[in-house]
Amino acid sequence: MNFEPYPFEKLNNLLQNIIPNKNYEPSVLTIGEPQFETPKFIQDSLSKNSSLLKKYPKTSGETVLRDAQRTFFKTRFGVELNDKQIIPTFGTREVLFNFPQFLLFDKKEPTMAFTNPFYQIYEGAAIASRANVIHINLNESNNFKAQIDEDMLAKCDLVILNFPNNPTSSVLTLDELSQWVKMALKYDFVLLNDECYSEIYTGEKTPSLLEAAINAGNTTFKNTLVINSISKRSSAPGLRSGFIAGDAKILEEYMNYRTYIGCASPLPLQSAAAEAWMDEEHVATSREIYKNNFKLAHEILGIEIPKATFYIWLKVGDAIEFTTKLYKEYNVKVLPGEYLARENSKGENPGIGYVRIALVENEDKTKDALNRIKECLNG
């Protein structure tokens, strides 16, 4: 298998011979990892349940965790899932990599489409699945929203959307998501929405694809799935708690597959995750921090405040040149957009000319970094 280097490896190679300006404290705004303490009640639960390490965890997840995730989904999206419509996962990276391999295994010449730019695990899954890839470009002309192309969708076995979107911060409305559900039924492909940023919104709550399925009359979620994670929501990426939910028929077969891959979450992690999924107060606190960071970015850089995520997709012209200059002169690391995207069949790379900035620090550090970015832009 020939996997592309990860974006962060490409960035390290780009900057390896550059000596940054030591007059500034280093500021790393490249990775989507919240730089805040995991809430104490989650840490306490993990410690309290450490004795459970003596037991093997179930691949299907403990009842307490499944119930907590179902409660979260009903509370947040108004969608009631039965126990066959959800599977706890070890975060979402593993499910994004192995689910396409499971789904496409029996397809002679599988085709997979996903939004572009993208989380690189989508591409890795396509390579491991020997799938043909179609890139759904997100760019300024379509307001960074996935456009429906029926000729393209007719070829697909699996389509992965990612809204709220990493890295562009774009959001699809309930009606826009509903149109995608209708396409999945019309052309009989599986539609998966990566919703890991659903809880980091700045105003109105963002919709789920499963809400859209009901809105489109698909109450059994046929061909429709979502994944979500606690990592961004609870500042707990190390807890590795996620889920996949939706079409029960697909999930029943996928559950059988999962018994062989050995990725069950340890019981102390499941106990702590269950408490985190059930609590909304700490999430609201985090949301305010990210919202205030966006307000600072609006004041300093003049950007429009996104509806969700904690990313700025900033247009800078030559992103490679800007990234190297910003690091050399201001000791700030950002990620060139072209590292997060690929050329589509028309030779278009929608990441060119942009950098992704992750606003995952506290207010003071964020303000300082944004002012340095402004100086670099104006220099």
Side-chain angles (χ1 to χ4, degrees):
M1 297 182 193
N2 185 22
F3 294 110
E4 277 274 338
Y6 241 57
F8 308 109
E9 182 181 346
K10 291 181 179 180
L11 180 65
N12 289 339
N13 290 335
L14 175 68
L15 303 180
Q16 64 180 343
N17 295 320
I18 297 174
I19 299 174
N21 188 340
K22 301 300 183 184
N23 292 321
Y24 295 101
E25 288 292 319
S27 179
V28 180
L29 306 179
T30 55
I31 190 168
E33 180 181 71
Q35 298 300 298
F36 308 106
E37 285 294 315
T38 300
K40 189 174 184 301
F41 78 94
I42 299 175
Q43 296 187 49
D44 289 346
S45 176
L46 185 62
S47 176
K48 180 179 65 178
N49 290 288
S50 62
S51 63
L52 295 175
L53 287 170
K54 67 183 179 182
K55 297 183 179 181
Y56 281 114
K58 298 176 186 174
T59 301
S60 59
E62 299 301 307
T63 299
V64 65
L65 178 58
R66 299 175 73 96
D67 288 350
Q69 291 175 332
R70 288 165 56 205
T71 298
F72 157 75
F73 213 88
K74 182 178 181 181
T75 302
R76 171 63 175 85
F77 299 109
V79 175
E80 189 154 3
L81 301 170
N82 65 47
D83 203 44
K84 295 181 179 180
Q85 292 173 321
I86 190 167
I87 298 174
T89 60
F90 196 60
T92 54
R93 184 171 178 170
E94 60 95 347
V95 68
L96 282 167
F97 187 65
N98 65 51
F99 177 77
Q101 295 176 66
F102 150 78
L103 184 76
L104 302 176
F105 180 80
D106 291 323
K107 304 290 183 181
K108 191 171 182 180
E109 293 185 3
T111 297
M112 182 172 160
F114 46 82
T115 44
N116 183 36
F118 54 86
Y119 177 34
Q120 194 159 315
I121 207 72
Y122 308 161
E123 181 182 74
I127 292 169
S129 304
R130 297 185 174 88
N132 299 311
V133 172
I134 298 174
H135 294 111
I136 305 170
N137 276 12
L138 309 180
N139 50 49
E140 197 170 10
S141 66
N142 58 35
N143 203 25
F144 305 104
K145 295 191 175 192
Q147 301 300 297
I148 289 173
D149 177 341
E150 295 198 38
D151 290 337
M152 177 269 287
L153 294 177
K155 305 172 186 175
C156 290
D157 299 295
L158 171 63
V159 175
I160 299 180
L161 300 179
N162 170 215
F163 294 97
N165 184 255
N166 166 22
T168 71
S169 297
S170 60
V171 171
L172 292 188
T173 67
L174 184 67
D175 287 341
E176 288 168 338
L177 287 170
S178 297
Q179 292 304 310
W180 278 94
V181 172
K182 291 174 183 177
M183 291 297 103
L185 295 175
K186 182 176 180 179
Y187 293 106
D188 195 28
F189 61 82
V190 173
L191 178 65
L192 172 73
N193 193 30
D194 178 351
E195 299 183 352
C196 287
Y197 293 89
S198 68
E199 303 314 286
I200 313 297
Y201 51 84
T202 57
E204 293 183 3
K205 295 178 180 180
T206 58
S208 169
L209 185 67
L210 295 191
E211 285 182 274
I214 294 172
N215 187 57
N218 181 11
T219 56
T220 64
F221 310 127
K222 177 177 170 56
N223 288 3
T224 308
L225 296 160
V226 301
I227 65 162
N228 212 322
S229 165
I230 215 163
S231 299
K232 322 297 181 185
R233 170 185 192 274
S234 299
S235 300
L239 204 54
R240 311 311 302 139
S241 180
F243 62 76
I244 182 169
D247 188 323
K249 183 178 179 182
I250 295 173
L251 293 182
E252 180 181 13
E253 297 171 2
Y254 180 52
M255 186 65 248
N256 290 333
Y257 168 85
R258 288 185 65 82
T259 60
Y260 288 88
I261 60 178
C263 55
S265 177
L267 293 176
L269 271 68
Q270 290 196 45
S271 297
E275 293 194 34
W277 282 111
M278 291 290 287
D279 184 81
E280 288 295 327
E281 186 176 346
H282 75 287
V283 188
T285 300
S286 296
R287 219 168 11 242
E288 283 303 306
I289 293 171
Y290 298 127
K291 185 176 180 179
N292 288 334
N293 283 349
F294 274 139
K295 287 180 179 177
L296 286 171
H298 172 69
E299 293 167 6
I300 295 169
L301 299 180
I303 64 142
E304 182 178 342
I305 296 176
K307 293 182 179 179
T309 81
F310 42 56
Y311 295 118
I312 298 174
W313 190 235
L314 187 65
K315 196 171 185 178
V316 295
D318 187 328
I320 299 296
E321 181 183 326
F322 178 80
T323 299
T324 54
K325 179 182 177 182
L326 182 64
Y327 181 58
K328 181 179 181 179
E329 298 183 12
Y330 297 94
N331 209 350
V332 177
K333 286 186 179 180
V334 295
L335 198 60
E338 54 222 75
Y339 291 176
L340 296 163
R342 300 287 183 268
E343 286 188 1
N344 66 1
S345 58
K346 298 178 181 178
E348 302 162 332
N349 182 324
I352 289 176
Y354 292 86
V355 295
R356 189 187 77 174
I357 303 169
L359 299 185
V360 292
E361 291 281 7
N362 63 38
E363 182 176 339
D364 290 340
K365 290 184 178 180
T366 299
K367 186 175 183 179
D368 177 57
L370 289 171
N371 278 318
R372 289 189 236 169
I373 291 170
K374 182 179 181 180
E375 283 188 43
C376 189
L377 286 168
N378 294 337

